[in-house]
Amino acid sequence: MRLSNRNKAGFYNFLNTFFLMLFVCGIAAFLLERYKFDIFGWESYIFLIVPTLLLVIYYLRGRQIFEYDSDGEALNFKNRNIITFLNRPVSDEFPKYKLQKYEVVNAVILKRLYITVSSKKNHSVILKYDISYLTDKELRDLKYSLDKVIKENKENLHLCRKI
């Protein structure tokens, strides 16, 4: 199964530009209000607080583009940001049989996917991905696919133990 929200990159680019422009306009409005008009008084800080809060929430939600591919014998995860210099892209590929479990953490502002993968010498590695920008349907499909892989891994483990 393949899952990607790469086709929404233009929309996320628009949101990024919109929030940055709102932030710049908020600073300009604050400076004009403070030093030229002086109508609002202390309430002029709203021109700074609201755009800054929106911009911070947008960036705290994490990387916007998430790609998942479970076709074949390997699982591929890619997670990147629209603005390339902000965060390093995360790209992982590992065999399906190494997937042990996963967990989706749904906080108020953000969603994260934690994948536990077995590594050499019976250790576990936890991989983290930002999935805040996935729709509910995409998230359900991702969970369904990961559940299917884990179920196959458990069946194969039971078959190997019986032999």
Side-chain angles (χ1 to χ4, degrees), residues 12-63:
Y12 299 136
N13 236 344
F14 169 76
L15 278 180
N16 184 42
T17 305
F18 175 74
F19 287 134
L20 284 174
M21 292 297 292
L22 190 65
F23 180 70
V24 169
C25 289
I27 290 173
F30 172 76
L31 292 175
L32 282 173
E33 164 59 28
R34 199 77 172 148
Y35 297 110
K36 181 76 174 164
F37 300 117
D38 200 22
I39 298 171
F40 293 114
W42 67 270
E43 295 160 344
S44 64
Y45 285 102
I46 292 175
F47 292 129
L48 287 179
I49 294 170
V50 172
T52 304
L53 189 64
L54 289 173
L55 192 64
V56 166
I57 288 172
Y58 180 73
Y59 287 120
L60 281 180
R61 290 189 75 186
R63 297 174 178 94

Side-chain angles (χ1 to χ4, degrees), residues 151-163:
K151 182 180 176 185
E152 288 175 8
N153 288 345
K154 287 182 181 178
E155 287 176 0
N156 288 341
L157 184 64
H158 288 302
L159 288 175
C160 290
R161 287 184 181 170
K162 286 182 180 181
I163 295 176

Side-chain angles (χ1 to χ4, degrees), residues 5-20 58-59 61 64-65 80-83 132-135 138:
N5 65 348
R6 191 177 4 165
N7 59 348
K8 298 177 188 173
F11 175 70
Y12 299 136
N13 236 344
F14 169 76
L15 278 180
N16 184 42
T17 305
F18 175 74
F19 287 134
L20 284 174
Y58 180 73
Y59 287 120
R61 290 189 75 186
Q64 291 90 7
I65 305 299
R80 66 181 175 89
N81 204 332
I82 290 295
I83 304 171
S132 299
Y133 293 96
L134 290 181
T135 63
E138 291 170 334

